[in-house]
Amino acid sequence: MAAAEEERFSRVKHDPRLPVSAFRFCLRAGGIGIDGLDAVAYYESPVKKLSRQLWAGIPEGASPDLPWLDPRAPERAIREGLGWDGPILTFDHHLSHAASAFFFSGFPESAVLTVDGVGEWTTTSYGRGKGAAVELFEEVGFPHALGLLYATLTSYLGFEVNDGEYKVMGLAPYGEPRFLDEMRRLVSPGPGGQYRLDLDYFDFVRGRRMYSEALPRLFGEEPRKPESEITRFHQDVARSLQALLEEILLAKASWLHEWTGLPDLCMAGGVALNVVANGRILREGPFERLFVQPAAGDSGACLGAAALAHAKLTGTAPEPLRHVYLGPRWTSGEIAGLLAATGIEALDFRDREADLLEAVVDRLESGNVIGWFHGPLELGPRALGGRSLLADPRDPGMRDRLNRLVKKREAFRPFAPSVLAGHAAEHFDLDHPSPYMLETCRVTSPLDLPAVTHVDGSARPQTVDPQVAPRYAALLEAFRRRTGCPLLVNTSFNVRGEPIVTSPVDALSCMGVSGIDVLVLEDFLIDRERLPANWADLLPAWRERARSGFARGKSAISEDLYTFV
Ligand SMILES: [Fe+2]
């Protein structure tokens, strides 16, 4: 019924704190109070996690006052932070990942593969799900982890661990896999589902950084300094790493297929967000269908814990995931109130959806970047037409323009397209829906789509189903009618370093600090040139009001504006 990530409320990216605001939102969306719950589920075993942390040793420079040494801390936080005194059901981390994929896949039975950095002692797990049950039958133990291998090379390439892995994946197609032999020295495949890292090259267990001195020696270059120039060498290392990851995942998926004899595969864990590897597993691997949980990283492991709790308490599997529009939404009436309070001049298209869409298409055709705010916020790292930046994918200058004016991110990273589901096969080598942008495929379009086609001719499309996202699909259809192109550039509505916008105030703030030309807030359209002249002066106050409002889990503007559903 509802799901959201805490970072979208607190505006702290990857916020690791107890998700109090997200929890409150879910209760409100469900229309119940905390006393309406049967249980609170938690997604990892604090005791097992602590035993690994103790084995790894107290990190250098850590405070001697270590609250994390208390395995009761999560329970205490849930009791005190949420005010919950009922049962707390705790499930192992990889079982939570596995359940988050299988239970929501809609498959009656499937193989399950989870791959991440580490959860408790486990880094990779293999299992199967059937009906209301998920079981894991093999695992790889810390410190041997594909997630940590990828993170280590991400760090060596000068990007931030746990955040820059996407950048490495985006850089890879520019390079050649000429370091594949060196990469193979870092990890050796074992029997069955096993593999081992050569720990001589790594230092993440006890050190201050991810890699040891041996790693730069192996590749023959010093680590790249963050924000410094990206050279051919970095592209080739990224390509080699990606090739190695795909090679291992394909081999392990094949083994899992042989072992289970099942035609379908579910995946979760941070490594399952490697959409390039997912595409290869599906195309070249033995499985017929693949379901990747859209919030595959740790932020979505709670879905699995909740599903396991549901299965335990009811003996039945939860309903499959039908879409990820599960976060807060604002009505046009609330947005009208906000706009009136700010004095911002907006075009009002209430009860005139077709006119709104034509006005948006006019602006897309003139090369504008549109901030598109409609319906509930999406769960997971991808914007899927709820909080998206949209633009014309045929415009050869659009990638640079988006990067310069809005995203302020590395120019090499491609943008993804949304395409009307019924037209996807005309433009991509794709024979099934891809509603969550979780795999890449070849662009086969008769149109030239420079803004969304990567250097290797691939793209990461979102197929848009009119039944699931009617207004977004209608916009794509309106654009198609006008231009013959049923696609748009769809990138997440945020500036670099910030979480995706949640509220209308976040969207206005983002417009203020970026070069977005047009903002659509539900039925209202705001052109940048019609913003008040002193807009820039107003922004800091707006942002501060928004921030202090979200810290309390509601809007600073008025109680009513933070009505969730
Ligand atoms: Fe995880």
Side-chain angles (χ1 to χ4, degrees):
M1 292 183 72
E5 289 149 287
E6 187 69 6
E7 64 165 28
R8 308 289 164 85
F9 300 94
S10 68
R11 313 306 301 156
V12 176
K13 211 172 173 192
H14 307 310
D15 194 337
R17 293 171 294 180
L18 188 76
V20 176
S21 299
F23 179 85
R24 288 176 53 179
F25 155 68
C26 288
L27 286 183
R28 287 181 72 163
I32 56 171
I34 195 165
D35 52 358
L37 297 178
D38 295 307
V40 168
Y42 190 66
Y43 75 111
E44 71 185 355
S45 158
V47 172
K48 290 182 189 170
K49 180 180 178 179
L50 182 61
S51 76
R52 185 199 81 237
Q53 288 172 321
L54 291 174
W55 175 84
I58 295 169
E60 278 179 62
S63 155
D65 173 29
L66 292 168
W68 55 268
L69 275 175
D70 183 356
R72 293 164 303 181
E75 177 176 347
R76 203 160 47 230
I78 290 168
R79 300 267 180 240
E80 292 170 6
L82 306 181
W84 173 244
D85 56 10
I88 297 174
L89 303 178
T90 298
F91 299 97
D92 284 357
H93 187 84
H94 278 261
L95 187 65
S96 298
H97 274 316
S100 80
F102 172 67
F103 281 131
F104 297 108
S105 67
F107 299 152
E109 188 175 9
S110 93
V112 184
L113 172 60
T114 67
V115 193
D116 69 2
V118 63
E120 296 128 5
W121 283 94
T122 310
T123 66
T124 303
S125 80
Y126 304 87
R128 65 164 69 79
K130 185 177 185 181
V134 181
E135 55 156 12
L136 304 180
F137 52 77
E138 168 136 0
E139 63 175 37
V140 180
F142 183 79
H144 306 290
L146 291 176
L148 291 171
L149 167 74
Y150 212 92
T152 300
L153 272 296
T154 296
S155 169
Y156 174 66
L157 290 172
F159 301 110
E160 202 181 326
V161 169
N162 279 335
D163 198 52
E165 284 80 358
Y166 268 117
K167 302 177 187 177
V168 174
M169 186 178 71
L171 189 60
Y174 291 91
E176 295 296 328
R178 67 180 164 109
F179 295 111
L180 197 47
D181 287 343
E182 284 83 352
M183 284 294 166
R184 291 198 181 111
R185 289 171 66 173
L186 302 180
V187 52
S188 53
Q194 296 300 309
Y195 59 83
R196 290 184 72 78
L197 301 188
D198 183 338
L199 295 176
D200 284 350
Y201 295 103
F202 299 91
D203 205 17
F204 56 74
V205 177
R206 292 190 174 83
R208 285 182 178 208
R209 60 179 189 178
M210 297 296 288
Y211 48 84
S212 73
E213 292 299 333
L215 191 98
R217 268 206 307 276
L218 176 68
F219 290 108
E221 276 215 26
E222 284 302 301
R224 174 177 167 265
K225 290 197 172 56
E227 309 297 328
S228 69
E229 191 199 350
I230 292 171
T231 65
R232 184 82 217 177
F233 169 78
H234 303 122
Q235 294 168 347
D236 292 346
V237 170
R239 180 75 194 97
S240 308
L241 171 66
Q242 182 65 30
L244 179 77
L245 178 79
E246 291 167 17
E247 184 178 290
I248 296 173
L249 285 177
L250 265 170
K252 298 306 170 190
S254 298
W255 172 77
L256 178 62
H257 180 261
E258 261 171 51
W259 190 255
T260 60
L262 293 169
D264 298 326
L265 174 65
C266 293
M267 284 180 73
V271 178
L273 291 172
N274 193 302
V275 293
V276 181
N278 295 349
R280 275 198 71 189
I281 288 172
L282 193 52
R283 279 192 305 276
E284 297 173 39
F287 289 102
E288 287 170 22
R289 292 187 295 176
L290 170 66
F291 175 80
V292 180
Q293 205 265 95
D298 282 357
S299 72
C302 58
L303 270 75
L308 287 163
H310 176 95
K312 184 173 176 158
L313 295 175
T314 65
T316 61
E319 292 282 307
L321 192 71
R322 302 197 192 287
H323 58 78
V324 292
Y325 305 106
L326 295 165
R329 69 184 304 164
W330 279 260
T331 65
S332 273
E334 289 161 349
I335 289 165
L338 166 68
L339 294 173
T342 59
I344 292 172
E345 208 182 316
L347 300 174
D348 183 348
F349 288 96
R350 277 179 284 186
D351 301 320
R352 292 194 295 134
E353 183 181 88
D355 293 343
L356 169 70
L357 300 181
E358 291 304 318
V360 175
V361 171
D362 288 343
R363 288 158 176 80
L364 284 165
E365 264 202 301
S366 7
N368 285 345
V369 175
I370 315 285
W372 177 260
F373 182 110
H374 173 67
L377 173 72
E378 305 90 333
L379 176 71
R382 302 274 74 87
L384 298 167
R387 307 288 184 276
S388 289
L389 298 178
L390 308 177
D392 186 342
R394 303 165 304 160
D395 182 341
M398 190 48 78
R399 190 188 288 195
D400 283 349
R401 180 153 197 268
L402 271 165
N403 274 320
R404 197 172 61 249
L405 296 183
V406 190
K407 303 298 281 191
K408 309 201 192 306
R409 69 183 195 179
E410 295 80 358
F412 62 82
R413 294 172 64 198
F415 290 104
S418 292
V419 59
L420 274 175
H423 291 273
E426 298 157 24
H427 301 273
F428 303 100
D429 183 12
L430 189 71
D431 61 4
H432 53 272
S434 172
Y436 306 125
M437 284 187 176
L438 284 167
E439 61 186 283
T440 53
C441 59
R442 217 154 38 86
V443 179
T444 55
S445 178
L447 304 172
D448 204 13
L449 302 168
V452 295
T453 308
H454 207 358
V455 62
D456 60 356
S458 70
R460 175 169 52 89
Q462 172 202 5
T463 55
V464 180
D465 180 346
Q467 303 283 332
V468 176
R471 181 175 286 190
Y472 191 37
L475 176 65
L476 285 158
E477 177 58 29
F479 190 68
R480 187 194 70 80
R481 271 199 311 272
R482 186 89 68 87
T483 65
C485 171
L487 306 98
L488 289 171
V489 176
N490 173 9
T491 184
S492 56
F493 194 160
N494 63 319
V495 287
R496 189 178 180 181
E498 292 209 354
I500 295 176
V501 303
T502 297
S503 72
V505 177
D506 298 336
L508 283 165
S509 295
C510 189
M511 187 185 200
V513 296
S514 69
I516 298 167
D517 302 299
V518 178
L519 174 61
V520 178
L521 289 173
E522 294 295 348
D523 295 333
F524 295 89
L525 187 149
I526 301 159
D527 286 305
R528 169 170 291 276
E529 65 260 25
R530 298 179 77 155
L531 287 172
N534 62 341
W535 172 241
D537 305 333
L538 294 171
L539 261 176
W542 273 107
R543 274 206 301 281
E544 194 40 53
R545 287 169 76 177
R547 194 172 291 128
S548 61
F550 281 120
R552 296 195 303 275
K554 60 188 179 190
S555 165
I557 305 157
S558 84
E559 290 277 338
D560 294 341
L561 277 178
Y562 213 76
T563 308
F564 292 109
V565 284

